Amino acid sequence: MNEVKTPKKPLLYYYCVAMLAVVLFNLLAMPWLMERSIHQVDYNTFVSMVDAGQVREASIQEQDNLIVFIEQNSNTVYKTAMVPDEKLIQRLLDKNVSTSGIEIEESSFFMQLLGWIAPLVIFIAIGQFMSRKMMEKMGGGNSMMFNMGKSNAKVYVKSAEGIKFSDVAGEDEAKENLTEIVDYLHDPSKYQEIGASMPKGILLVGPPGTGKTMLAKAVAGEANVPFFSMSGSEFVEMFVGMGASKVRDLFKQAKEKSPCIVFIDEIDAIGKKRDGRLGGNDEREQTLNQLLTEMDGFEGNNGVIILAATNRPESLDPALTRPGRFDRRVPVELPDLKGREEILKVHAKKIKVSDEADFQQVARMASGASGAELANIVNEAALQAVRKGRKYATQSDLEESIEVVIAGYQKKNAILTDKEKWTVAYHEIGHALVAAKQTNSAPVQKITIIPRTSGALGYTMQVEADNHYLMTKEEMENKIATFTGGRAAEEIVFGTISTGAANDIEQATKLARAMITRYGMSQDFGMVAMETVTNQYLGGDTSLSCSPETQTEIDQQVVKLVKKQHDKAAQILKDSREKLDELSKFLYEKETITGDEFMKILNK
Ligand code: ADP
């Protein structure tokens, strides 16, 4: 959409314009006017006028090679170029022409006056103009200084290439929810007739990059109304009261343009719970108060709909989420398999892709990716194609770009020693073999031991066959076993262990902990929550809510659980030691093997 920003000019700008006007006037206009008031004649005319006694005074300006003279009766000023003329003085004396005392300026008193008055008039006019502007600003918000307190909301006016719902793939539930708003903006009377009022505020919640901003724009695009967008952090200024005045200004603008959409991104920047602690953030609280007041202030049916996005809904002030304010919450979750495929297709339209590309397969591989990451994967594939000198992106470009987005670029100059390479190969096959041997685990898609810029020396890409919404206890245990499979392989084969398992250890521990403290999957604690998730959409940090004794016991249980799965993994590998060696050798030689190649060797 076209983005139009309200122009803002600093005070200095007006001063400069005034100065420039005065300088230009004196430099160009004045000489021009003076020029116009002096008549130029040729020397012959001058001589004949003198001879006819028509000249009263004359001034000879030798440096300028000029004679300026005044006519006897009309006081008109003339000038003429000087011509070598020995009789000139005599001629003037004969006719009693006064030869001193003329100055051009004197002859044009009006011009001189103008030279003084014009700048004054310009200054006064600009002064008036500016004070009127200032008054306007003071009215709009009680700002103390010029540009402060004015909202700098970006306004997207309707345009042909506006974002539509069709540009936002997946997210069907969210779109369905928002369709009602579009319908309302199209025809409010239908709703007003029955007395229904639209929610004033709608909160879009979900992890970063899932298309919240896009959805808000799409609502405006579908309804064909102006779209004001501002980020929560833009309200927060250094001075207390500025943010509040920006909120006032934003709503004033919005009401003028109603019906319209106001979008506040990252609303948690201003909408955080007020904790009432001394020395709290006064500015933020004032801004929030102002927002609450504004939302109460306009009637349900005036056509301004506020959409706000956040990925920390739990941190919002309850006053903000109560009915009558942001009373509707639209979850914008990470896309599922079908959603991922659709998002890939939407973005693939922007690049040239080979017909053989299998987006479903790519979507399967990119499990857990957000819309923004998928957009990035498609773009990365196009870049890859250019790098390889191709005219379009292929399936392998798409697959490689998933790895780039997940694990970083291939490290070209990382040189592993032979021993390290063997260790990595066994480690990765360890994961894959344990995963494959446990029937419930997802099949392996690809195993590689090419180091990546993220620091990973190799990895096993697993693929979810279907959408998974629930995980059973056994599946979780199997997953832990798979995580420990890498280390188990190292132990069995080399009899020693390396640092390569740090990430596996972290993930296995996290999973085991969640099983015990949150999912009630331990016998001793049963269905008691020992941990609460504080940051659902941003990494899922947790905070413990149990006594120190219980904490100790939880730790012991976590250790026990992980150890049990580790032993299980080790047993699986010992039982298939031959396959482990064969597969590892194959991987060592080829560096990257596909899931099919792996399964073929395994089932031989
Ligand atoms: P958020 O506001 O949730 O952080 P954005 O709306 O800014 O995310 O999305 C960032 C980018 O990701 C978009 O510009 C778009 O290219 C891509 N994207 C995210 N979700 C989708 C989707 N559902 N369909 C198409 N593209 C998407």
Side-chain angles (χ1 to χ4, degrees):
M1 289 192 190
N2 293 339
E3 193 174 298
V4 185
K5 261 202 159 176
T6 336
K8 282 185 292 177
K9 296 195 174 102
L11 193 56
L12 197 64
Y13 171 83
Y14 294 107
Y15 275 125
C16 287
V17 172
M19 290 302 291
L20 199 71
V22 171
V23 169
L24 281 180
F25 182 81
N26 275 321
L27 250 144
L28 303 173
M30 279 298 283
W32 183 74
L33 281 170
M34 304 257 284
E35 199 80 356
R36 293 276 307 222
S37 63
I38 301 175
H39 301 267
Q40 171 118 31
V41 288
D42 57 23
Y43 195 74
N44 291 352
T45 315
F46 166 66
V47 172
S48 54
M49 278 174 83
V50 171
D51 290 347
Q54 287 169 350
V55 175
R56 194 178 74 216
E57 287 178 44
S59 159
I60 299 163
Q61 299 174 359
E62 263 180 44
Q63 304 102 300
D64 298 336
N65 208 24
L66 259 186
I67 300 172
V68 180
F69 60 98
I70 300 176
E71 200 182 355
Q72 190 70 267
N73 301 323
S74 67
N75 276 351
T76 312
V77 184
Y78 293 89
K79 68 175 179 186
T80 183
M82 241 163 88
V83 176
D85 181 1
E86 284 170 8
K87 294 187 203 145
L88 174 65
I89 302 297
Q90 193 56 47
R91 196 173 271 144
L92 292 172
L93 288 176
D94 287 352
K95 291 294 170 188
N96 267 344
V97 176
S98 156
T99 48
S100 65
I102 300 184
E103 280 174 25
I104 303 174
E105 285 81 1
E106 235 177 54
S107 64
S108 54
F109 172 72
F110 169 72
M111 285 297 129
Q112 227 179 359
L113 211 62
L114 202 67
W116 282 101
I117 290 176
L120 269 178
V121 171
I122 292 173
F123 262 113
I124 290 170
I126 286 177
Q128 286 281 329
F129 171 73
M130 263 170 29
S131 61
R132 199 163 336 123
K133 275 233 146 194
M134 245 158 74
M135 294 296 277
E136 269 171 25
K137 256 179 214 168
M138 296 289 232
N142 55 357
S143 56
M144 293 173 294
M145 283 172 236
F146 292 115
N147 276 319
M148 291 187 172
K150 181 120 176 93
S151 92
N152 35 7
K154 293 180 210 96
V155 187
Y156 296 88
V157 285
K158 41 197 166 177
S159 69
E161 71 268 34
I163 296 181
K164 292 280 166 65
F165 275 150
S166 55
D167 297 312
V168 190
E171 307 300 348
D172 292 332
E173 300 79 15
K175 279 197 261 184
E176 201 179 300
N177 235 316
L178 295 169
T179 311
E180 198 182 352
I181 306 292
V182 175
D183 191 44
Y184 170 77
L185 288 169
H186 269 309
D187 183 14
S189 60
K190 199 163 67 182
Y191 291 81
Q192 283 157 359
E193 253 168 43
I194 208 167
S197 56
M198 264 293 123
K200 290 177 188 169
I202 296 165
L203 204 57
L204 301 166
V205 297
T210 44
K212 298 184 289 296
T213 313
M214 260 190 118
L215 274 168
K217 283 186 191 169
V219 172
E222 290 280 342
N224 222 354
V225 295
F227 178 75
F228 291 85
S229 132
M230 209 158 158
S231 168
S233 58
E234 283 177 66
F235 287 109
V236 183
E237 290 266 358
M238 193 165 60
F239 301 107
V240 174
M242 288 299 147
S245 124
K246 279 189 173 180
V247 172
R248 267 195 298 274
D249 191 68
L250 175 64
F251 279 86
K252 188 165 158 268
Q253 282 186 46
K255 277 181 220 161
E256 283 165 9
K257 288 254 163 44
S258 124
C260 67
I261 304 269
V262 172
F263 176 63
I264 306 175
D265 206 358
E266 313 291 351
I267 194 164
D268 43 284
I270 47 169
K272 238 185 263 158
K273 282 193 191 98
R274 289 162 290 185
D275 48 15
R277 250 185 273 145
L278 224 64
N281 192 337
D282 281 349
E283 162 63 352
R284 195 171 53 72
E285 290 190 4
Q286 278 212 17
T287 311
L288 176 57
N289 283 335
Q290 187 61 44
L291 182 65
L292 299 178
T293 319
E294 287 289 345
M295 291 192 77
D296 282 341
F298 62 80
E299 312 73 46
N301 285 333
N302 77 348
V304 179
I305 303 240
I306 309 168
L307 298 180
T310 178
N311 26 45
R312 307 184 55 200
E314 70 287 341
S315 75
L316 292 182
D317 197 286
L320 201 58
T321 47
R322 78 143 165 80
R325 287 175 185 146
F326 286 103
D327 45 7
R328 199 178 276 190
R329 185 183 278 221
V330 176
V332 188
E333 298 287 348
L334 286 175
D336 55 13
L337 180 61
K338 192 165 150 280
R340 287 199 298 274
E341 191 183 336
E342 282 171 21
I343 295 175
L344 284 169
K345 281 184 183 158
V346 163
H347 286 282
K349 281 193 199 129
K350 298 176 199 159
I351 66 164
K352 285 194 183 134
V353 195
S354 100
D355 296 337
E356 280 103 62
D358 180 357
F359 290 109
Q360 200 192 15
Q361 172 70 5
V362 180
R364 235 183 253 286
M365 290 169 74
S367 81
S370 68
E373 278 167 328
L374 292 168
N376 195 8
I377 285 172
V378 173
N379 188 49
E380 198 59 54
L383 293 177
Q384 187 103 2
V386 175
R387 235 175 275 143
K388 290 183 180 160
R390 267 192 251 110
K391 289 265 179 269
Y392 51 85
T394 61
Q395 175 76 7
S396 73
D397 288 329
L398 283 163
E399 287 181 16
E400 168 65 22
S401 67
I402 296 177
E403 290 173 53
V404 169
V405 172
I406 294 172
Y409 287 97
Q410 290 187 359
K411 236 182 187 170
K412 290 279 183 255
N413 49 3
I415 300 163
L416 295 186
T417 62
D418 200 46
K419 174 87 193 296
E420 277 170 340
K421 202 170 156 189
W422 272 114
T423 309
V424 178
Y426 268 103
H427 184 108
E428 296 307 330
I429 293 294
H431 285 306
L433 201 54
V434 173
K437 285 278 174 185
Q438 300 172 119
T439 42
N440 291 340
S441 277
V444 171
Q445 168 70 27
K446 184 173 178 178
I447 310 167
T448 161
I449 52 168
I450 300 171
R452 295 271 163 176
T453 46
S454 67
L457 295 178
Y459 64 85
T460 304
M461 187 190 273
Q462 298 205 3
V463 171
E464 307 272 345
D466 304 298
N467 272 322
H468 249 4
Y469 299 105
L470 285 176
M471 265 180 108
T472 62
K473 187 178 171 198
E474 288 69 36
E475 281 171 333
M476 290 189 89
E477 285 174 349
N478 287 348
K479 216 166 166 181
I480 298 176
T482 305
F483 281 132
T484 58
R487 166 65 65 89
E490 287 181 47
E491 285 165 346
I492 294 168
V493 179
F494 303 104
T496 175
I497 49 181
S498 74
T499 54
N503 188 270
D504 304 335
I505 292 171
E506 204 180 306
Q507 297 211 48
T509 313
K510 213 167 156 183
L511 209 57
R513 248 196 126 70
M515 283 176 73
I516 291 163
T517 59
R518 283 168 39 213
Y519 301 131
M521 288 179 178
S522 69
Q523 272 158 7
D524 297 346
F525 298 119
M527 284 179 63
V528 177
M530 246 74 71
E531 262 183 5
T532 42
V533 179
T534 47
N535 234 342
Q536 190 188 349
Y537 295 121
L538 298 172
D541 296 342
T542 51
S543 60
L544 272 172
S545 50
C546 57
S547 69
E549 291 79 30
T550 317
Q551 222 168 309
T552 317
E553 206 171 319
I554 291 172
D555 291 338
Q556 285 165 356
Q557 294 226 7
V558 170
V559 173
K560 215 166 96 189
L561 177 58
V562 175
K563 193 155 183 341
K564 190 171 162 211
Q565 295 312 314
H566 185 173
D567 292 344
K568 183 171 107 188
Q571 195 54 51
I572 291 174
L573 294 177
K574 275 181 202 152
D575 292 346
S576 354
R577 178 64 205 259
E578 267 176 42
K579 292 283 174 202
L580 176 64
D581 290 334
E582 190 182 347
L583 284 161
S584 301
K585 186 162 175 281
F586 187 59
L587 178 61
Y588 174 87
E589 282 160 4
K590 288 198 65 173
E591 295 197 336
T592 299
I593 62 172
T594 65
D596 291 340
E597 289 170 325
F598 175 86
M599 291 314 277
K600 217 183 268 167
I601 297 178
L602 187 63
N603 295 330
K604 214 161 45 183

